[in-house]
mmCIF file with all atom_site columns, all heavy atoms in Angstrom:
data_model
loop_
_atom_site.group_PDB
_atom_site.id
_atom_site.type_symbol
_atom_site.label_atom_id
_atom_site.label_alt_id
_atom_site.label_comp_id
_atom_site.label_asym_id
_atom_site.label_entity_id
_atom_site.label_seq_id
_atom_site.pdbx_PDB_ins_code
_atom_site.Cartn_x
_atom_site.Cartn_y
_atom_site.Cartn_z
_atom_site.occupancy
_atom_site.B_iso_or_equiv
_atom_site.pdbx_formal_charge
_atom_site.auth_seq_id
_atom_site.auth_comp_id
_atom_site.auth_asym_id
_atom_site.auth_atom_id
_atom_site.pdbx_PDB_model_num
ATOM   1   N  N   . LYS A 1 224 ? 12.928 38.461 1.978   1.00 0.00 ? 224 LYS A N   1
ATOM   2   C  CA  . LYS A 1 224 ? 13.551 37.652 0.927   1.00 0.00 ? 224 LYS A CA  1
ATOM   3   C  C   . LYS A 1 224 ? 13.111 38.034 -0.484  1.00 0.00 ? 224 LYS A C   1
ATOM   4   O  O   . LYS A 1 224 ? 13.893 37.982 -1.410  1.00 0.00 ? 224 LYS A O   1
ATOM   5   C  CB  . LYS A 1 224 ? 13.244 36.172 1.163   1.00 0.00 ? 224 LYS A CB  1
ATOM   6   C  CG  . LYS A 1 224 ? 13.959 35.606 2.382   1.00 0.00 ? 224 LYS A CG  1
ATOM   7   C  CD  . LYS A 1 224 ? 13.829 34.096 2.506   1.00 0.00 ? 224 LYS A CD  1
ATOM   8   C  CE  . LYS A 1 224 ? 14.637 33.594 3.689   1.00 0.00 ? 224 LYS A CE  1
ATOM   9   N  NZ  . LYS A 1 224 ? 14.474 32.151 3.921   1.00 0.00 ? 224 LYS A NZ  1
ATOM   10  N  N   . CYS A 1 365 ? 24.920 29.491 -11.166 1.00 0.00 ? 365 CYS A N   1
ATOM   11  C  CA  . CYS A 1 365 ? 23.817 29.144 -10.261 1.00 0.00 ? 365 CYS A CA  1
ATOM   12  C  C   . CYS A 1 365 ? 23.868 27.684 -9.819  1.00 0.00 ? 365 CYS A C   1
ATOM   13  O  O   . CYS A 1 365 ? 23.381 27.339 -8.743  1.00 0.00 ? 365 CYS A O   1
ATOM   14  C  CB  . CYS A 1 365 ? 22.464 29.393 -10.924 1.00 0.00 ? 365 CYS A CB  1
ATOM   15  S  SG  . CYS A 1 365 ? 22.396 30.912 -11.889 1.00 0.00 ? 365 CYS A SG  1
ATOM   16  N  N   . CYS A 1 368 ? 24.911 26.049 -6.252  1.00 0.00 ? 368 CYS A N   1
ATOM   17  C  CA  . CYS A 1 368 ? 23.929 25.942 -5.159  1.00 0.00 ? 368 CYS A CA  1
ATOM   18  C  C   . CYS A 1 368 ? 22.721 25.131 -5.604  1.00 0.00 ? 368 CYS A C   1
ATOM   19  O  O   . CYS A 1 368 ? 22.276 24.232 -4.901  1.00 0.00 ? 368 CYS A O   1
ATOM   20  C  CB  . CYS A 1 368 ? 23.455 27.318 -4.726  1.00 0.00 ? 368 CYS A CB  1
ATOM   21  S  SG  . CYS A 1 368 ? 24.631 28.180 -3.678  1.00 0.00 ? 368 CYS A SG  1
ATOM   22  N  N   . HIS A 1 369 ? 22.162 25.492 -6.765  1.00 0.00 ? 369 HIS A N   1
ATOM   23  C  CA  . HIS A 1 369 ? 20.984 24.759 -7.275  1.00 0.00 ? 369 HIS A CA  1
ATOM   24  C  C   . HIS A 1 369 ? 21.485 23.516 -8.002  1.00 0.00 ? 369 HIS A C   1
ATOM   25  O  O   . HIS A 1 369 ? 21.355 23.397 -9.221  1.00 0.00 ? 369 HIS A O   1
ATOM   26  C  CB  . HIS A 1 369 ? 20.172 25.645 -8.224  1.00 0.00 ? 369 HIS A CB  1
ATOM   27  C  CG  . HIS A 1 369 ? 19.559 26.839 -7.548  1.00 0.00 ? 369 HIS A CG  1
ATOM   28  N  ND1 . HIS A 1 369 ? 18.314 26.813 -6.969  1.00 0.00 ? 369 HIS A ND1 1
ATOM   29  C  CD2 . HIS A 1 369 ? 20.027 28.101 -7.344  1.00 0.00 ? 369 HIS A CD2 1
ATOM   30  C  CE1 . HIS A 1 369 ? 18.036 27.993 -6.441  1.00 0.00 ? 369 HIS A CE1 1
ATOM   31  N  NE2 . HIS A 1 369 ? 19.069 28.794 -6.662  1.00 0.00 ? 369 HIS A NE2 1
ATOM   32  N  N   . VAL A 1 387 ? 17.728 26.413 4.959   1.00 0.00 ? 387 VAL A N   1
ATOM   33  C  CA  . VAL A 1 387 ? 17.039 26.582 3.674   1.00 0.00 ? 387 VAL A CA  1
ATOM   34  C  C   . VAL A 1 387 ? 17.683 25.703 2.605   1.00 0.00 ? 387 VAL A C   1
ATOM   35  O  O   . VAL A 1 387 ? 18.871 25.369 2.689   1.00 0.00 ? 387 VAL A O   1
ATOM   36  C  CB  . VAL A 1 387 ? 17.033 28.052 3.163   1.00 0.00 ? 387 VAL A CB  1
ATOM   37  C  CG1 . VAL A 1 387 ? 16.108 28.899 3.990   1.00 0.00 ? 387 VAL A CG1 1
ATOM   38  C  CG2 . VAL A 1 387 ? 18.428 28.650 3.146   1.00 0.00 ? 387 VAL A CG2 1
ATOM   39  N  N   . ARG A 1 390 ? 16.094 26.491 -4.136  1.00 0.00 ? 390 ARG A N   1
ATOM   40  C  CA  . ARG A 1 390 ? 14.809 26.017 -4.676  1.00 0.00 ? 390 ARG A CA  1
ATOM   41  C  C   . ARG A 1 390 ? 14.990 24.961 -5.766  1.00 0.00 ? 390 ARG A C   1
ATOM   42  O  O   . ARG A 1 390 ? 15.890 25.054 -6.595  1.00 0.00 ? 390 ARG A O   1
ATOM   43  C  CB  . ARG A 1 390 ? 14.054 27.216 -5.266  1.00 0.00 ? 390 ARG A CB  1
ATOM   44  C  CG  . ARG A 1 390 ? 12.606 26.962 -5.546  1.00 0.00 ? 390 ARG A CG  1
ATOM   45  C  CD  . ARG A 1 390 ? 11.693 27.097 -4.331  1.00 0.00 ? 390 ARG A CD  1
ATOM   46  N  NE  . ARG A 1 390 ? 11.561 28.450 -3.853  1.00 0.00 ? 390 ARG A NE  1
ATOM   47  C  CZ  . ARG A 1 390 ? 11.951 28.854 -2.648  1.00 0.00 ? 390 ARG A CZ  1
ATOM   48  N  NH1 . ARG A 1 390 ? 12.508 28.014 -1.803  1.00 0.00 ? 390 ARG A NH1 1
ATOM   49  N  NH2 . ARG A 1 390 ? 11.790 30.105 -2.277  1.00 0.00 ? 390 ARG A NH2 1
ATOM   50  N  N   . ARG A 1 398 ? 8.184  31.619 -4.732  1.00 0.00 ? 398 ARG A N   1
ATOM   51  C  CA  . ARG A 1 398 ? 7.565  32.390 -3.643  1.00 0.00 ? 398 ARG A CA  1
ATOM   52  C  C   . ARG A 1 398 ? 7.285  33.831 -4.085  1.00 0.00 ? 398 ARG A C   1
ATOM   53  O  O   . ARG A 1 398 ? 6.270  34.400 -3.787  1.00 0.00 ? 398 ARG A O   1
ATOM   54  C  CB  . ARG A 1 398 ? 8.516  32.460 -2.444  1.00 0.00 ? 398 ARG A CB  1
ATOM   55  C  CG  . ARG A 1 398 ? 9.024  31.133 -1.954  1.00 0.00 ? 398 ARG A CG  1
ATOM   56  C  CD  . ARG A 1 398 ? 8.031  30.496 -1.015  1.00 0.00 ? 398 ARG A CD  1
ATOM   57  N  NE  . ARG A 1 398 ? 8.702  29.588 -0.101  1.00 0.00 ? 398 ARG A NE  1
ATOM   58  C  CZ  . ARG A 1 398 ? 8.862  28.281 -0.317  1.00 0.00 ? 398 ARG A CZ  1
ATOM   59  N  NH1 . ARG A 1 398 ? 8.408  27.728 -1.425  1.00 0.00 ? 398 ARG A NH1 1
ATOM   60  N  NH2 . ARG A 1 398 ? 9.482  27.533 0.584   1.00 0.00 ? 398 ARG A NH2 1
ATOM   61  N  N   . GLY A 1 399 ? 8.265  34.405 -4.775  1.00 0.00 ? 399 GLY A N   1
ATOM   62  C  CA  . GLY A 1 399 ? 8.197  35.849 -5.044  1.00 0.00 ? 399 GLY A CA  1
ATOM   63  C  C   . GLY A 1 399 ? 7.503  36.205 -6.344  1.00 0.00 ? 399 GLY A C   1
ATOM   64  O  O   . GLY A 1 399 ? 7.690  37.316 -6.847  1.00 0.00 ? 399 GLY A O   1
ATOM   65  N  N   . SER A 1 417 ? 19.154 34.729 2.259   1.00 0.00 ? 417 SER A N   1
ATOM   66  C  CA  . SER A 1 417 ? 19.392 33.306 2.023   1.00 0.00 ? 417 SER A CA  1
ATOM   67  C  C   . SER A 1 417 ? 20.764 33.078 1.400   1.00 0.00 ? 417 SER A C   1
ATOM   68  O  O   . SER A 1 417 ? 21.056 31.979 0.933   1.00 0.00 ? 417 SER A O   1
ATOM   69  C  CB  . SER A 1 417 ? 18.323 32.720 1.100   1.00 0.00 ? 417 SER A CB  1
ATOM   70  O  OG  . SER A 1 417 ? 17.049 32.987 1.597   1.00 0.00 ? 417 SER A OG  1
ATOM   71  N  N   . THR A 1 418 ? 21.575 34.118 1.349   1.00 0.00 ? 418 THR A N   1
ATOM   72  C  CA  . THR A 1 418 ? 22.921 34.110 0.761   1.00 0.00 ? 418 THR A CA  1
ATOM   73  C  C   . THR A 1 418 ? 22.945 33.852 -0.743  1.00 0.00 ? 418 THR A C   1
ATOM   74  O  O   . THR A 1 418 ? 23.983 33.528 -1.302  1.00 0.00 ? 418 THR A O   1
ATOM   75  C  CB  . THR A 1 418 ? 23.890 33.095 1.452   1.00 0.00 ? 418 THR A CB  1
ATOM   76  O  OG1 . THR A 1 418 ? 23.483 31.782 1.138   1.00 0.00 ? 418 THR A OG1 1
ATOM   77  C  CG2 . THR A 1 418 ? 23.933 33.288 2.956   1.00 0.00 ? 418 THR A CG2 1
ATOM   78  N  N   . MET A 1 419 ? 21.809 33.959 -1.419  1.00 0.00 ? 419 MET A N   1
ATOM   79  C  CA  . MET A 1 419 ? 21.851 33.853 -2.889  1.00 0.00 ? 419 MET A CA  1
ATOM   80  C  C   . MET A 1 419 ? 22.380 35.174 -3.458  1.00 0.00 ? 419 MET A C   1
ATOM   81  O  O   . MET A 1 419 ? 21.809 36.228 -3.209  1.00 0.00 ? 419 MET A O   1
ATOM   82  C  CB  . MET A 1 419 ? 20.463 33.539 -3.445  1.00 0.00 ? 419 MET A CB  1
ATOM   83  C  CG  . MET A 1 419 ? 20.419 33.577 -4.951  1.00 0.00 ? 419 MET A CG  1
ATOM   84  S  SD  . MET A 1 419 ? 18.939 32.808 -5.598  1.00 0.00 ? 419 MET A SD  1
ATOM   85  C  CE  . MET A 1 419 ? 18.580 33.930 -6.952  1.00 0.00 ? 419 MET A CE  1
HETATM 86  C  C1  . HEC B 2 .   ? 24.792 30.674 -2.645  1.00 0.00 ? 502 HEC B C1  1
HETATM 87  C  C2  . HEC B 2 .   ? 23.797 29.780 -3.155  1.00 0.00 ? 502 HEC B C2  1
HETATM 88  C  C3  . HEC B 2 .   ? 22.924 30.205 -4.319  1.00 0.00 ? 502 HEC B C3  1
HETATM 89  C  C4  . HEC B 2 .   ? 23.313 30.616 -5.580  1.00 0.00 ? 502 HEC B C4  1
HETATM 90  C  C5  . HEC B 2 .   ? 24.721 30.783 -6.127  1.00 0.00 ? 502 HEC B C5  1
HETATM 91  C  C6  . HEC B 2 .   ? 22.096 30.838 -6.312  1.00 0.00 ? 502 HEC B C6  1
HETATM 92  N  N1  . HEC B 2 .   ? 21.003 30.580 -5.528  1.00 0.00 ? 502 HEC B N1  1
HETATM 93  FE FE1 . HEC B 2 .   ? 19.055 30.723 -6.079  1.00 0.00 ? 502 HEC B FE1 1
HETATM 94  N  N2  . HEC B 2 .   ? 18.460 30.223 -4.197  1.00 0.00 ? 502 HEC B N2  1
HETATM 95  C  C7  . HEC B 2 .   ? 19.316 29.883 -3.176  1.00 0.00 ? 502 HEC B C7  1
HETATM 96  C  C8  . HEC B 2 .   ? 18.535 29.593 -1.992  1.00 0.00 ? 502 HEC B C8  1
HETATM 97  C  C9  . HEC B 2 .   ? 19.083 29.176 -0.632  1.00 0.00 ? 502 HEC B C9  1
HETATM 98  C  C10 . HEC B 2 .   ? 17.177 29.764 -2.343  1.00 0.00 ? 502 HEC B C10 1
HETATM 99  C  C11 . HEC B 2 .   ? 15.968 29.571 -1.463  1.00 0.00 ? 502 HEC B C11 1
HETATM 100 C  C12 . HEC B 2 .   ? 15.664 30.859 -0.766  1.00 0.00 ? 502 HEC B C12 1
HETATM 101 C  C13 . HEC B 2 .   ? 14.709 30.722 0.386   1.00 0.00 ? 502 HEC B C13 1
HETATM 102 O  O1  . HEC B 2 .   ? 13.550 30.380 0.219   1.00 0.00 ? 502 HEC B O1  1
HETATM 103 O  O2  . HEC B 2 .   ? 15.150 31.029 1.483   1.00 0.00 ? 502 HEC B O2  1
HETATM 104 C  C14 . HEC B 2 .   ? 17.175 30.152 -3.750  1.00 0.00 ? 502 HEC B C14 1
HETATM 105 C  C15 . HEC B 2 .   ? 16.024 30.427 -4.473  1.00 0.00 ? 502 HEC B C15 1
HETATM 106 C  C16 . HEC B 2 .   ? 15.994 30.735 -5.823  1.00 0.00 ? 502 HEC B C16 1
HETATM 107 C  C17 . HEC B 2 .   ? 14.797 30.995 -6.597  1.00 0.00 ? 502 HEC B C17 1
HETATM 108 C  C18 . HEC B 2 .   ? 13.377 30.978 -6.086  1.00 0.00 ? 502 HEC B C18 1
HETATM 109 C  C19 . HEC B 2 .   ? 12.840 32.369 -5.899  1.00 0.00 ? 502 HEC B C19 1
HETATM 110 C  C20 . HEC B 2 .   ? 11.400 32.388 -5.475  1.00 0.00 ? 502 HEC B C20 1
HETATM 111 O  O3  . HEC B 2 .   ? 10.733 33.405 -5.745  1.00 0.00 ? 502 HEC B O3  1
HETATM 112 O  O4  . HEC B 2 .   ? 10.929 31.421 -4.883  1.00 0.00 ? 502 HEC B O4  1
HETATM 113 C  C21 . HEC B 2 .   ? 15.204 31.235 -7.895  1.00 0.00 ? 502 HEC B C21 1
HETATM 114 C  C22 . HEC B 2 .   ? 14.314 31.562 -9.085  1.00 0.00 ? 502 HEC B C22 1
HETATM 115 C  C23 . HEC B 2 .   ? 16.638 31.154 -7.912  1.00 0.00 ? 502 HEC B C23 1
HETATM 116 N  N3  . HEC B 2 .   ? 17.082 30.851 -6.650  1.00 0.00 ? 502 HEC B N3  1
HETATM 117 C  C24 . HEC B 2 .   ? 17.397 31.350 -9.045  1.00 0.00 ? 502 HEC B C24 1
HETATM 118 C  C25 . HEC B 2 .   ? 18.785 31.413 -9.045  1.00 0.00 ? 502 HEC B C25 1
HETATM 119 C  C26 . HEC B 2 .   ? 19.578 31.769 -10.190 1.00 0.00 ? 502 HEC B C26 1
HETATM 120 C  C27 . HEC B 2 .   ? 19.010 32.061 -11.575 1.00 0.00 ? 502 HEC B C27 1
HETATM 121 C  C28 . HEC B 2 .   ? 20.880 31.779 -9.786  1.00 0.00 ? 502 HEC B C28 1
HETATM 122 C  C29 . HEC B 2 .   ? 22.106 32.158 -10.601 1.00 0.00 ? 502 HEC B C29 1
HETATM 123 C  C30 . HEC B 2 .   ? 22.081 33.462 -11.222 1.00 0.00 ? 502 HEC B C30 1
HETATM 124 C  C31 . HEC B 2 .   ? 20.909 31.406 -8.384  1.00 0.00 ? 502 HEC B C31 1
HETATM 125 N  N4  . HEC B 2 .   ? 19.626 31.200 -7.978  1.00 0.00 ? 502 HEC B N4  1
HETATM 126 C  C32 . HEC B 2 .   ? 22.057 31.289 -7.622  1.00 0.00 ? 502 HEC B C32 1
HETATM 127 C  C33 . HEC B 2 .   ? 20.696 29.834 -3.214  1.00 0.00 ? 502 HEC B C33 1
HETATM 128 C  C34 . HEC B 2 .   ? 21.464 30.186 -4.296  1.00 0.00 ? 502 HEC B C34 1
#
Side-chain angles (χ1 to χ4, degrees):
K224 290 189 176 176
C365 319
C368 282
H369 295 271
V387 288
R390 194 82 69 243
R398 307 276 206 267
S417 306
T418 70
M419 173 165 141

